[in-house]
Amino acid sequence: MTSSHNVQTAAQHHAGPPPGIVALTYALLFVAGLYPVTAFGGRPTFPQPGQSLNSIVAFFQLRPSAVLFWTGIYKTLCGLTNLYRASLAPVMRSAWNE
């Protein structure tokens, strides 16, 4: 019985990359996406969460095109991550139903 279980488990292995590597890549690309907004835009720098509301609003008012561009990049990466998760869904469902 053990050998047949091992055969079934091997047949259900997902052929995609390990989820940890995908998550790390996603996090690195997200952090890297914050840099160009400031590096190519100059001052004011990307606001920190603890800064005043006026400085946060000023940043987004002075850099709308840069923020929109990098938001588009971020949304694209989110979409790719969701496609990867969707490709795992059938594998996970079949594993849970056993």
Side-chain angles (χ1 to χ4, degrees):
M1 181 166 189
T2 304
S3 61
S4 66
H5 180 5
N6 290 341
V7 171
Q8 288 176 348
T9 303
Q12 294 175 353
H13 187 295
H14 181 64
I21 292 175
V22 173
L24 180 64
T25 303
Y26 176 81
L28 290 174
L29 289 173
F30 173 75
V31 171
L34 297 177
Y35 175 74
V37 174
T38 300
F40 298 126
R43 296 276 178 198
T45 59
F46 196 83
Q48 300 295 321
Q51 285 183 306
S52 70
L53 181 60
N54 291 335
S55 64
I56 294 172
V57 169
F59 175 82
F60 287 101
Q61 286 178 340
L62 292 173
R63 307 246 166 340
S65 59
V67 170
L68 288 174
F69 175 76
W70 291 107
T71 301
I73 297 294
Y74 174 73
K75 286 187 168 255
T76 301
L77 294 174
C78 288
L80 293 174
T81 304
N82 287 337
L83 285 174
Y84 175 72
R85 287 188 342 206
S87 70
L88 284 177
V91 174
M92 298 304 286
R93 281 191 201 110
S94 65
W96 288 331
N97 289 334
E98 289 184 356

